[in-house]
Amino acid sequence: QVQLVESGGGLVQAGGSLKLSCAASGSSFSMNAMGWHRQAPGKQRELVARITSGGSTNYADSVKGRFTISRDNGKNTVYLQMNSLKPEDTAVYYCATTHFVTHVDYWGKGTLVTVSS
């Protein structure tokens, strides 16, 4: 069983920055790829960024150069640094992972990011 708890969301002006954190329970954290997804009102959930157990990363085109995903295996935490935020980044941001053995997906409850123009 894996539990994910996001934090760090809030209201920020366009051009500003926020750093999201996702704390994970369980001893398998370092072996699992981790991802940040988002869902804007009226839109489908989309993958924003992903980091593998080895530290390789990939990003949605819409956030490349502005967002950075990182992980601290000692703290069982994954981060999303968001810079140069735009109003279209407004969404609920979710942390997610797939257990590397069972292939079960786990999701956090999300944290709201609102970017004002």
Side-chain angles (χ1 to χ4, degrees), residues 69-88:
I69 188 171
S70 61
R71 66 191 298 161
D72 185 336
N73 291 336
K75 295 182 178 180
N76 274 21
T77 301
V78 63
Y79 304 97
L80 186 68
Q81 176 67 49
M82 306 185 294
N83 299 327
S84 303
L85 283 161
K86 304 176 181 180
E88 52 263 44

Side-chain angles (χ1 to χ4, degrees), residues 32 98-104:
N32 298 334
T98 301
H99 194 279
F100 78 107
V101 173
T102 65
H103 303 292
V104 173

Side-chain angles (χ1 to χ4, degrees), residues 1 11 22-23 26 35 38-39 51 61 65 69 73 92 95 97 109:
Q1 188 78 4
L11 174 64
C22 172
R38 68 185 180 187
Q39 187 165 19
I51 185 166
D61 287 343
I69 188 171
N73 291 336
V92 177
C95 177
T97 188
K109 294 184 177 181

